Coordinates of all heavy atoms in Angstrom, one line a residue:
M1 N 137.0 85.8 -1.9 CA 136.5 84.8 -2.8 C 135.6 85.4 -3.8 O 135.6 85.1 -5.0 CB 135.8 83.7 -2.0 CG 135.4 82.6 -2.8 SD 136.9 81.7 -3.3 CE 136.3 80.3 -4.1
V2 N 134.8 86.4 -3.4 CA 133.9 87.1 -4.3 C 134.6 87.9 -5.3 O 134.3 87.9 -6.5 CB 132.9 87.9 -3.5 CG1 132.0 88.8 -4.5 CG2 132.0 87.0 -2.7
I3 N 135.7 88.5 -4.9 CA 136.5 89.4 -5.7 C 137.2 88.5 -6.8 O 137.3 88.9 -8.0 CB 137.5 90.2 -4.9 CG1 136.7 91.2 -4.1 CG2 138.5 90.9 -5.8 CD1 137.5 92.1 -3.2
A4 N 137.7 87.4 -6.4 CA 138.3 86.5 -7.4 C 137.3 86.0 -8.4 O 137.6 85.9 -9.6 CB 138.9 85.3 -6.7
G5 N 136.1 85.7 -8.0 CA 135.1 85.3 -9.0 C 134.7 86.4 -9.9 O 134.5 86.2 -11.1
L6 N 134.6 87.7 -9.4 CA 134.4 88.8 -10.3 C 135.5 89.0 -11.3 O 135.3 89.4 -12.4 CB 134.1 90.1 -9.5 CG 132.8 90.2 -8.7 CD1 132.8 91.4 -7.8 CD2 131.7 90.2 -9.7
F7 N 136.7 88.8 -10.8 CA 137.9 89.0 -11.7 C 137.8 88.0 -12.8 O 138.1 88.3 -14.0 CB 139.2 88.8 -10.9 CG 140.4 88.9 -11.7 CD1 140.9 90.1 -12.2 CD2 141.1 87.8 -12.1 CE1 142.0 90.2 -13.0 CE2 142.3 87.9 -12.9 CZ 142.7 89.1 -13.3
V8 N 137.5 86.7 -12.5 CA 137.4 85.7 -13.6 C 136.3 86.0 -14.5 O 136.4 85.9 -15.7 CB 137.2 84.3 -12.9 CG1 136.9 83.3 -13.9 CG2 138.4 83.9 -12.1
W9 N 135.2 86.5 -14.0 CA 134.1 86.9 -14.9 C 134.4 88.0 -15.8 O 134.1 88.0 -17.0 CB 132.9 87.3 -14.0 CG 131.6 87.5 -14.7 CD1 130.9 86.7 -15.4 CD2 130.9 88.8 -14.7 NE1 129.7 87.3 -15.9 CE2 129.7 88.6 -15.5 CE3 131.1 90.1 -14.2 CZ2 128.8 89.6 -15.7 CZ3 130.2 91.0 -14.4 CH2 129.1 90.8 -15.2
V10 N 135.2 89.0 -15.3 CA 135.6 90.1 -16.2 C 136.6 89.6 -17.2 O 136.6 90.1 -18.4 CB 136.2 91.3 -15.3 CG1 136.9 92.3 -16.2 CG2 135.1 91.9 -14.5
V11 N 137.5 88.7 -16.9 CA 138.4 88.1 -17.8 C 137.6 87.4 -18.9 O 138.0 87.5 -20.1 CB 139.4 87.2 -17.1 CG1 140.2 86.4 -18.1 CG2 140.3 88.0 -16.2
F12 N 136.6 86.7 -18.6 CA 135.7 86.0 -19.6 C 135.1 87.0 -20.5 O 135.0 86.8 -21.7 CB 134.6 85.2 -18.9 CG 135.1 83.8 -18.5 CD1 134.7 83.3 -17.3 CD2 135.8 83.0 -19.4 CE1 135.1 82.0 -17.0 CE2 136.2 81.7 -19.1 CZ 135.9 81.2 -17.8
L13 N 134.6 88.1 -20.0 CA 134.0 89.2 -20.8 C 135.0 89.8 -21.8 O 134.7 90.0 -22.9 CB 133.4 90.3 -19.9 CG 132.2 89.8 -19.0 CD1 131.8 91.0 -18.1 CD2 131.1 89.3 -19.9
I14 N 136.2 90.1 -21.3 CA 137.2 90.7 -22.2 C 137.6 89.6 -23.2 O 137.8 90.0 -24.4 CB 138.4 91.1 -21.3 CG1 138.0 92.3 -20.5 CG2 139.6 91.5 -22.2 CD1 139.1 92.7 -19.4
G15 N 137.7 88.4 -22.8 CA 138.1 87.3 -23.8 C 137.0 87.2 -24.8 O 137.2 87.0 -26.0
A16 N 135.7 87.3 -24.4 CA 134.6 87.2 -25.4 C 134.7 88.3 -26.4 O 134.4 88.1 -27.6 CB 133.3 87.2 -24.7
I17 N 135.0 89.5 -26.0 CA 135.1 90.7 -26.9 C 136.2 90.4 -27.9 O 136.0 90.7 -29.1 CB 135.3 92.0 -26.1 CG1 134.0 92.3 -25.3 CG2 135.6 93.1 -27.0 CD1 134.2 93.4 -24.3
K18 N 137.3 90.0 -27.4 CA 138.5 89.8 -28.3 C 138.2 88.6 -29.3 O 138.5 88.8 -30.5 CB 139.7 89.5 -27.5 CG 140.2 90.7 -26.7 CD 141.6 90.4 -26.1 CE 142.0 91.6 -25.3 NZ 143.1 92.3 -25.9
F19 N 137.6 87.5 -28.8 CA 137.3 86.4 -29.7 C 136.3 86.8 -30.8 O 136.4 86.5 -31.9 CB 136.8 85.2 -29.0 CG 137.9 84.3 -28.5 CD1 138.1 84.1 -27.1 CD2 138.8 83.7 -29.4 CE1 139.1 83.3 -26.7 CE2 139.8 82.9 -28.9 CZ 140.0 82.7 -27.6
A20 N 135.3 87.6 -30.3 CA 134.2 88.0 -31.3 C 134.8 88.9 -32.3 O 134.5 88.9 -33.5 CB 133.1 88.7 -30.5
K21 N 135.7 89.8 -31.9 CA 136.3 90.7 -32.9 C 137.2 90.0 -33.9 O 137.1 90.3 -35.1 CB 137.2 91.8 -32.1 CG 137.8 92.8 -33.0 CD 138.5 93.9 -32.2 CE 139.0 95.0 -33.1 NZ 139.8 96.0 -32.3
T22 N 138.0 89.0 -33.4 CA 138.9 88.3 -34.4 C 138.1 87.4 -35.3 O 138.5 87.1 -36.4 CB 139.9 87.4 -33.6 OG1 139.2 86.5 -32.8 CG2 140.8 88.3 -32.8
K23 N 136.9 87.0 -34.9 CA 136.1 86.1 -35.8 C 135.0 86.9 -36.6 O 134.3 86.3 -37.3 CB 135.4 85.0 -34.9 CG 136.4 84.1 -34.2 CD 135.8 82.8 -34.0 CE 136.9 81.9 -33.3 NZ 137.0 80.7 -34.0
G24 N 135.0 88.2 -36.4 CA 134.1 89.0 -37.2 C 132.7 88.9 -36.8 O 131.7 89.2 -37.5
R25 N 132.4 88.6 -35.5 CA 131.1 88.5 -34.9 C 130.7 89.8 -34.2 O 131.6 90.6 -33.9 CB 131.0 87.3 -34.0 CG 131.5 86.0 -34.6 CD 130.3 85.3 -35.3 NE 130.8 84.1 -35.9 CZ 130.0 83.3 -36.5 NH1 128.8 83.5 -36.6 NH2 130.5 82.2 -37.1
S26 N 129.5 89.9 -33.8 CA 129.0 91.0 -33.0 C 129.6 91.0 -31.6 O 129.3 90.1 -30.9 CB 127.5 91.0 -33.0 OG 127.0 92.0 -32.1
Q27 N 130.4 92.0 -31.3 CA 131.0 92.1 -30.0 C 130.0 92.3 -28.9 O 130.1 91.7 -27.8 CB 132.1 93.2 -30.0 CG 133.2 92.9 -31.0 CD 134.1 94.1 -31.1 OE1 134.2 95.0 -30.2 NE2 134.9 94.1 -32.1
L28 N 129.0 93.2 -29.1 CA 128.0 93.4 -28.1 C 127.2 92.2 -27.8 O 126.9 91.9 -26.6 CB 127.1 94.6 -28.5 CG 126.0 95.0 -27.5 CD1 126.6 95.5 -26.2 CD2 125.1 96.1 -28.1
F29 N 126.8 91.5 -28.8 CA 126.0 90.3 -28.6 C 126.7 89.3 -27.8 O 126.2 88.7 -26.8 CB 125.6 89.7 -30.0 CG 124.9 88.3 -29.9 CD1 123.6 88.2 -29.5 CD2 125.6 87.2 -30.2 CE1 123.0 87.0 -29.4 CE2 125.1 85.9 -30.1 CZ 123.7 85.8 -29.7
W30 N 128.0 89.0 -28.1 CA 128.7 88.0 -27.4 C 129.1 88.5 -26.0 O 129.2 87.7 -25.1 CB 129.9 87.6 -28.2 CG 129.5 86.7 -29.3 CD1 129.4 87.0 -30.6 CD2 129.2 85.3 -29.2 NE1 128.9 85.9 -31.3 CE2 128.8 84.8 -30.5 CE3 129.1 84.4 -28.1 CZ2 128.4 83.5 -30.7 CZ3 128.8 83.1 -28.4 CH2 128.4 82.7 -29.7
L31 N 129.3 89.8 -25.8 CA 129.5 90.3 -24.5 C 128.3 90.0 -23.6 O 128.5 89.5 -22.5 CB 129.8 91.8 -24.6 CG 129.9 92.5 -23.2 CD1 131.2 92.1 -22.5 CD2 129.9 94.0 -23.4
L32 N 127.1 90.3 -24.1 CA 125.9 90.1 -23.3 C 125.7 88.6 -23.1 O 125.3 88.2 -22.0 CB 124.7 90.7 -24.0 CG 124.7 92.2 -24.1 CD1 123.6 92.8 -24.9 CD2 124.8 92.9 -22.7
L33 N 125.9 87.8 -24.1 CA 125.7 86.3 -23.9 C 126.7 85.7 -22.9 O 126.2 84.9 -22.1 CB 125.9 85.7 -25.3 CG 125.4 84.2 -25.4 CD1 123.9 84.1 -25.1 CD2 125.7 83.7 -26.7
V34 N 127.9 86.1 -23.0 CA 128.9 85.6 -22.0 C 128.6 86.1 -20.6 O 128.9 85.5 -19.6 CB 130.3 85.8 -22.5 CG1 131.4 85.5 -21.4 CG2 130.6 85.1 -23.7
A35 N 128.1 87.4 -20.5 CA 127.8 87.9 -19.2 C 126.7 87.1 -18.6 O 126.7 86.9 -17.3 CB 127.4 89.4 -19.4
M36 N 125.7 86.6 -19.4 CA 124.6 85.9 -18.8 C 125.0 84.4 -18.6 O 124.6 83.8 -17.7 CB 123.4 86.0 -19.7 CG 122.8 87.4 -19.7 SD 121.3 87.5 -20.6 CE 121.9 87.4 -22.3
M37 N 125.7 83.8 -19.6 CA 126.1 82.4 -19.6 C 127.6 82.3 -19.9 O 127.9 82.2 -21.1 CB 125.3 81.6 -20.6 CG 123.8 81.7 -20.2 SD 122.8 80.7 -21.4 CE 123.2 81.5 -23.0
P38 N 128.5 82.2 -18.9 CA 129.9 82.1 -19.2 C 130.3 81.0 -20.1 O 131.3 81.0 -20.8 CB 130.6 82.1 -17.9 CG 129.6 82.7 -16.9 CD 128.2 82.3 -17.5
L39 N 129.6 79.9 -20.1 CA 129.9 78.7 -20.9 C 129.8 79.0 -22.4 O 130.3 78.2 -23.2 CB 129.1 77.5 -20.5 CG 129.4 76.9 -19.1 CD1 128.5 75.8 -18.8 CD2 130.9 76.5 -19.0
S40 N 129.0 80.0 -22.8 CA 128.9 80.3 -24.2 C 130.2 80.8 -24.8 O 130.3 80.8 -26.0 CB 127.8 81.4 -24.4 OG 128.2 82.6 -23.7
L41 N 131.2 81.1 -24.0 CA 132.5 81.5 -24.5 C 133.1 80.3 -25.3 O 133.8 80.5 -26.3 CB 133.4 81.9 -23.4 CG 134.8 82.4 -23.8 CD1 134.7 83.6 -24.8 CD2 135.6 82.7 -22.6
I42 N 132.8 79.1 -24.9 CA 133.3 77.9 -25.5 C 132.7 77.8 -26.9 O 133.4 77.5 -27.9 CB 133.0 76.6 -24.7 CG1 133.7 76.7 -23.4 CG2 133.3 75.4 -25.5 CD1 133.3 75.6 -22.4
V43 N 131.4 78.2 -27.1 CA 130.7 78.2 -28.4 C 131.4 79.2 -29.3 O 131.7 78.9 -30.5 CB 129.2 78.5 -28.2 CG1 128.6 78.6 -29.6 CG2 128.6 77.4 -27.4
L44 N 131.7 80.4 -28.8 CA 132.3 81.4 -29.6 C 133.7 81.0 -30.1 O 134.1 81.2 -31.2 CB 132.4 82.7 -28.8 CG 133.1 83.9 -29.5 CD1 132.4 84.3 -30.7 CD2 133.3 85.0 -28.5
V45 N 134.4 80.3 -29.2 CA 135.8 79.8 -29.6 C 135.7 78.8 -30.7 O 136.5 78.8 -31.6 CB 136.5 79.3 -28.4 CG1 137.8 78.6 -28.8 CG2 136.8 80.4 -27.4
L46 N 134.7 77.9 -30.7 CA 134.6 76.9 -31.7 C 133.9 77.3 -33.0 O 134.0 76.6 -34.0 CB 133.7 75.7 -31.1 CG 134.4 75.0 -29.8 CD1 133.4 74.0 -29.3 CD2 135.7 74.4 -30.2
L47 N 133.3 78.5 -33.0 CA 132.7 78.9 -34.3 C 133.7 79.3 -35.3 O 134.7 79.9 -35.0 CB 131.8 80.1 -34.0 CG 130.4 79.9 -33.4 CD1 129.7 81.2 -33.0 CD2 129.5 79.1 -34.3
P48 N 133.4 79.0 -36.6 CA 134.4 79.5 -37.6 C 134.2 81.0 -37.8 O 133.2 81.6 -37.4 CB 133.9 78.8 -38.9 CG 132.4 78.5 -38.6 CD 132.3 78.3 -37.2
P49 N 135.2 81.7 -38.4 CA 135.1 83.1 -38.6 C 133.9 83.4 -39.5 O 133.6 82.6 -40.4 CB 136.4 83.4 -39.3 CG 137.4 82.4 -38.9 CD 136.6 81.1 -38.7
Q50 N 133.3 84.6 -39.3 CA 132.2 85.0 -40.1 C 132.5 85.1 -41.6 O 133.5 85.6 -42.0 CB 131.7 86.3 -39.6 CG 130.4 86.8 -40.2 CD 129.2 86.1 -39.7 OE1 129.2 85.5 -38.6 NE2 128.1 86.1 -40.4
G51 N 131.6 84.5 -42.4 CA 131.8 84.6 -43.8 C 132.6 83.5 -44.4 O 132.9 83.5 -45.6
Q52 N 133.1 82.6 -43.6 CA 133.9 81.5 -44.1 C 133.2 80.2 -43.7 O 133.5 79.6 -42.7 CB 135.3 81.5 -43.4 CG 136.2 82.7 -43.9 CD 137.5 82.6 -43.3 OE1 137.8 81.7 -42.5 NE2 138.4 83.6 -43.6
G53 N 132.4 79.8 -44.6 CA 131.7 78.5 -44.4 C 132.6 77.4 -44.9 O 133.8 77.5 -45.0
R54 N 132.0 76.2 -45.1 CA 132.8 75.1 -45.5 C 133.2 75.4 -47.0 O 132.4 75.8 -47.8 CB 132.0 73.8 -45.5 CG 131.7 73.4 -44.1 CD 130.9 72.1 -44.2 NE 130.4 71.8 -42.9 CZ 129.4 71.0 -42.7 NH1 128.8 70.4 -43.7 NH2 128.9 70.8 -41.5
P55 N 134.5 75.1 -47.3 CA 134.9 75.2 -48.7 C 134.2 74.2 -49.6 O 134.0 73.0 -49.2 CB 136.4 75.0 -48.7 CG 136.6 74.3 -47.4 CD 135.5 74.6 -46.5
A56 N 133.8 74.6 -50.8 CA 133.2 73.7 -51.7 C 134.2 72.7 -52.2 O 135.4 73.0 -52.6 CB 132.6 74.4 -52.9
S57 N 133.9 71.4 -52.3 CA 134.8 70.4 -52.8 C 134.7 70.4 -54.3 O 133.8 71.0 -54.9 CB 134.4 69.0 -52.2 OG 133.1 68.7 -52.7
R58 N 135.7 69.8 -54.9 CA 135.8 69.7 -56.3 C 134.6 68.9 -56.8 O 134.2 67.9 -56.3 CB 137.1 69.1 -56.8 CG 138.1 70.1 -57.0 CD 139.4 69.4 -57.6 NE 140.3 69.3 -56.5 CZ 141.0 68.2 -56.3 NH1 141.0 67.2 -57.2 NH2 141.8 68.1 -55.3
G59 N 134.0 69.4 -57.9 CA 132.9 68.7 -58.5 C 131.5 68.9 -57.8 O 130.6 68.2 -58.0
T60 N 131.5 69.9 -57.0 CA 130.2 70.2 -56.3 C 129.2 70.8 -57.3 O 129.5 71.7 -58.1 CB 130.5 71.3 -55.2 OG1 131.4 70.7 -54.3 CG2 129.2 71.6 -54.4
I61 N 128.0 70.3 -57.2 CA 127.0 70.7 -58.1 C 126.4 72.0 -57.5 O 126.2 72.1 -56.3 CB 125.9 69.7 -58.3 CG1 126.5 68.5 -59.0 CG2 124.7 70.2 -59.0 CD1 125.5 67.3 -59.1
L62 N 126.1 73.0 -58.3 CA 125.6 74.3 -57.8 C 124.2 74.0 -57.2 O 123.5 73.1 -57.5 CB 125.5 75.3 -59.0 CG 126.8 75.6 -59.7 CD1 126.5 76.5 -60.8 CD2 127.7 76.3 -58.7
S63 N 123.8 74.9 -56.3 CA 122.6 74.7 -55.6 C 121.3 74.8 -56.5 O 120.3 74.3 -56.1 CB 122.5 75.8 -54.5 OG 122.4 77.1 -55.1
D64 N 121.4 75.5 -57.6 CA 120.3 75.5 -58.5 C 120.3 74.4 -59.5 O 119.5 74.4 -60.4 CB 120.2 76.9 -59.2 CG 121.5 77.2 -60.1 OD1 122.5 76.4 -59.9 OD2 121.4 78.1 -60.9
E65 N 121.1 73.4 -59.4 CA 121.2 72.3 -60.3 C 120.9 71.0 -59.5 O 121.8 70.5 -58.8 CB 122.6 72.2 -60.9 CG 123.0 73.3 -61.8 CD 124.3 73.1 -62.4 OE1 124.6 71.9 -62.9 OE2 125.1 74.0 -62.4
P66 N 119.7 70.5 -59.6 CA 119.4 69.2 -58.9 C 120.2 68.1 -59.5 O 120.6 68.1 -60.7 CB 117.9 69.0 -59.2 CG 117.4 70.3 -59.6 CD 118.5 71.1 -60.2
D67 N 120.6 67.1 -58.7 CA 121.4 66.0 -59.2 C 120.8 65.3 -60.4 O 119.7 64.8 -60.4 CB 121.6 65.0 -58.1 CG 122.6 65.5 -57.0 OD1 123.4 66.3 -57.4 OD2 122.5 65.0 -55.9
G68 N 121.6 65.2 -61.5 CA 121.2 64.4 -62.6 C 120.2 65.0 -63.5 O 120.0 64.4 -64.6
F69 N 119.5 66.0 -63.2 CA 118.4 66.5 -64.0 C 118.8 67.6 -65.0 O 118.3 67.7 -66.1 CB 117.3 67.0 -63.1 CG 116.6 66.0 -62.3 CD1 116.8 66.0 -60.9 CD2 115.8 65.0 -62.9 CE1 116.2 65.0 -60.2 CE2 115.2 64.0 -62.2 CZ 115.4 64.0 -60.8
F70 N 119.8 68.4 -64.5 CA 120.2 69.6 -65.4 C 121.7 69.6 -65.5 O 122.4 69.0 -64.6 CB 119.7 70.9 -64.8 CG 118.3 71.1 -64.8 CD1 117.5 70.8 -63.6 CD2 117.6 71.5 -65.9 CE1 116.1 71.0 -63.6 CE2 116.2 71.6 -65.9 CZ 115.5 71.4 -64.8
R71 N 122.2 70.3 -66.5 CA 123.6 70.5 -66.6 C 123.8 71.9 -67.2 O 122.8 72.5 -67.7 CB 124.3 69.5 -67.6 CG 123.8 69.6 -69.0 CD 124.6 68.7 -69.9 NE 124.0 68.7 -71.3 CZ 124.3 69.6 -72.2 NH1 125.1 70.6 -71.9 NH2 123.7 69.6 -73.4
R72 N 124.9 72.5 -67.1 CA 125.2 73.8 -67.6 C 125.7 73.7 -69.0 O 126.6 72.9 -69.3 CB 126.1 74.6 -66.8 CG 125.5 75.1 -65.5 CD 125.9 76.5 -65.1 NE 125.3 76.9 -63.9 CZ 124.3 77.7 -63.8 NH1 123.8 78.2 -64.9 NH2 123.8 78.0 -62.6
C73 N 125.2 74.5 -70.0 CA 125.8 74.5 -71.3 C 127.2 75.2 -71.2 O 127.3 76.2 -70.6 CB 124.9 75.4 -72.2 SG 125.6 75.6 -73.9
V74 N 128.1 74.6 -71.9 CA 129.5 75.1 -71.8 C 129.7 76.4 -72.6 O 130.6 77.2 -72.3 CB 130.5 74.1 -72.3 CG1 130.6 72.9 -71.4 CG2 130.2 73.6 -73.7
H75 N 128.7 76.7 -73.4 CA 128.8 77.9 -74.3 C 128.1 79.1 -73.7 O 128.6 80.2 -73.5 CB 128.3 77.7 -75.7 CG 129.1 76.6 -76.4 ND1 130.4 76.7 -76.8 CD2 128.8 75.3 -76.6 CE1 130.8 75.6 -77.3 NE2 129.9 74.7 -77.2
C76 N 126.8 78.9 -73.3 CA 126.0 80.0 -72.8 C 125.7 80.0 -71.3 O 125.1 80.9 -70.8 CB 124.7 80.1 -73.6 SG 123.6 78.7 -73.3
K77 N 126.2 78.9 -70.6 CA 126.1 78.8 -69.2 C 124.6 78.7 -68.6 O 124.4 79.0 -67.5 CB 126.8 79.9 -68.5 CG 128.3 80.0 -68.9 CD 129.1 78.8 -68.5 CE 130.5 79.1 -68.8 NZ 131.2 77.9 -69.2
T78 N 123.6 78.4 -69.5 CA 122.3 78.3 -69.0 C 122.0 76.8 -68.6 O 122.7 75.9 -69.1 CB 121.2 78.7 -70.0 OG1 121.5 77.9 -71.2 CG2 121.4 80.2 -70.3
L79 N 121.1 76.6 -67.7 CA 120.7 75.2 -67.3 C 119.9 74.6 -68.4 O 118.9 75.2 -68.9 CB 119.9 75.3 -66.0 CG 120.6 75.6 -64.8 CD1 119.7 75.7 -63.6 CD2 121.7 74.5 -64.5
V80 N 120.3 73.4 -68.8 CA 119.6 72.7 -69.8 C 119.3 71.2 -69.3 O 120.0 70.8 -68.4 CB 120.3 72.6 -71.2 CG1 120.4 74.0 -71.8 CG2 121.7 72.0 -71.1
D81 N 118.4 70.5 -69.9 CA 118.1 69.2 -69.5 C 119.4 68.3 -69.7 O 120.1 68.4 -70.8 CB 117.0 68.6 -70.4 CG 116.4 67.3 -69.8 OD1 116.9 66.9 -68.8 OD2 115.5 66.7 -70.5
A82 N 119.7 67.5 -68.8 CA 120.9 66.7 -68.8 C 120.9 65.7 -70.0 O 122.0 65.3 -70.5 CB 121.1 65.9 -67.5
E83 N 119.7 65.3 -70.4 CA 119.7 64.3 -71.5 C 119.7 64.9 -72.9 O 119.9 64.2 -73.9 CB 118.4 63.5 -71.3 CG 118.4 62.7 -70.1 CD 117.1 61.9 -69.9 OE1 116.2 62.0 -70.7 OE2 117.0 61.2 -68.9
D84 N 119.5 66.2 -73.0 CA 119.5 66.9 -74.3 C 121.0 67.1 -74.8 O 121.8 67.7 -74.1 CB 118.9 68.2 -74.3 CG 117.4 68.1 -74.1 OD1 116.8 67.1 -74.4 OD2 116.7 69.1 -73.7
P85 N 121.3 66.6 -76.0 CA 122.7 66.7 -76.5 C 123.0 68.1 -77.0 O 124.1 68.6 -77.0 CB 122.8 65.7 -77.6 CG 121.4 65.5 -78.1 CD 120.5 65.7 -76.9
I86 N 121.9 68.9 -77.3 CA 122.0 70.2 -77.9 C 121.3 71.2 -76.9 O 120.2 71.0 -76.5 CB 121.5 70.4 -79.3 CG1 122.2 69.4 -80.2 CG2 121.5 71.8 -79.8 CD1 121.7 69.4 -81.6
C87 N 122.0 72.3 -76.7 CA 121.4 73.4 -75.8 C 120.1 74.0 -76.5 O 120.2 74.3 -77.6 CB 122.4 74.5 -75.5 SG 121.8 75.8 -74.5
T88 N 119.1 74.1 -75.7 CA 117.8 74.7 -76.2 C 117.9 76.2 -76.4 O 117.1 76.8 -77.1 CB 116.6 74.3 -75.3 OG1 116.9 74.8 -74.0 CG2 116.4 72.8 -75.3
V89 N 118.9 76.9 -75.8 CA 119.0 78.3 -75.8 C 119.9 78.7 -77.0 O 119.5 79.5 -77.8 CB 119.5 78.9 -74.5 CG1 119.7 80.4 -74.6 CG2 118.5 78.5 -73.4
C90 N 121.1 78.2 -77.0 CA 122.1 78.7 -78.0 C 122.2 77.7 -79.2 O 122.8 78.1 -80.2 CB 123.5 78.9 -77.4 SG 124.3 77.4 -76.9
G91 N 121.7 76.5 -79.1 CA 121.7 75.6 -80.2 C 123.0 74.8 -80.4 O 123.2 74.1 -81.4
R92 N 123.9 75.0 -79.5 CA 125.2 74.3 -79.6 C 125.2 73.2 -78.5 O 124.4 73.1 -77.6 CB 126.4 75.2 -79.3 CG 126.5 76.3 -80.4 CD 127.7 77.1 -80.3 NE 127.5 78.3 -79.5 CZ 128.4 79.1 -79.2 NH1 129.7 79.0 -79.6 NH2 128.1 80.2 -78.5
G93 N 126.2 72.3 -78.7 CA 126.3 71.1 -77.8 C 127.3 71.4 -76.7 O 127.6 71.0 -75.8

C-alpha cells in the first residue's frame, strides 16, 4: 500500500513538471509545491499559459486613459482633454 502511494506521488510530481513546462511556468517551484501539497496540481492545470492574459476586447480604453476624461489625438497620438476639439500639442483636430 505504501509503495502504491509513493508511485502515485511520483506520478503527480512528473505531471507537475510536464504541466509547468508546457505552460511556461517555473518547473522547480511547481515541483516543490506539488511535493508539499498534491492538490496544487489542480491549480497548475487551471492556470493559463504564462504571458497570455485575457485578450483585450474591441474598444478597450488604454490603462493610461481614464474613462471620458482623455482621448488620443489621431495625428500625434498624445493624450488630450476629451472636450477639446483641437489638440493642444499639434494644433490639429
Side-chain angles (χ1 to χ4, degrees):
M1 189 67 175
V2 173
I3 294 181
L6 286 174
F7 178 75
V8 170
W9 186 63
V10 169
V11 169
F12 275 136
L13 293 177
I14 293 170
I17 293 171
K18 290 188 182 251
F19 274 116
K21 185 176 181 181
T22 59
K23 297 208 179 232
R25 307 268 178 179
S26 171
Q27 296 172 18
L28 179 62
F29 172 76
W30 284 100
L31 174 72
L32 294 175
L33 191 63
V34 171
M36 291 185 287
M37 297 180 304
L39 292 178
S40 62
L41 183 61
I42 295 170
V43 174
L44 177 62
V45 170
L46 296 177
L47 282 175
Q50 185 73 21
Q52 292 182 359
R54 293 183 191 159
S57 62
R58 270 186 259 142
T60 301
I61 296 177
L62 299 175
S63 61
D64 59 348
E65 295 182 46
D67 285 335
F69 295 109
F70 294 99
R71 64 175 176 85
R72 287 221 181 254
C73 174
V74 294
H75 301 287
C76 65
K77 305 295 185 214
T78 57
L79 288 174
V80 294
D81 192 5
E83 296 178 359
D84 288 342
I86 297 176
C87 177
T88 56
V89 177
C90 68
R92 296 190 266 177

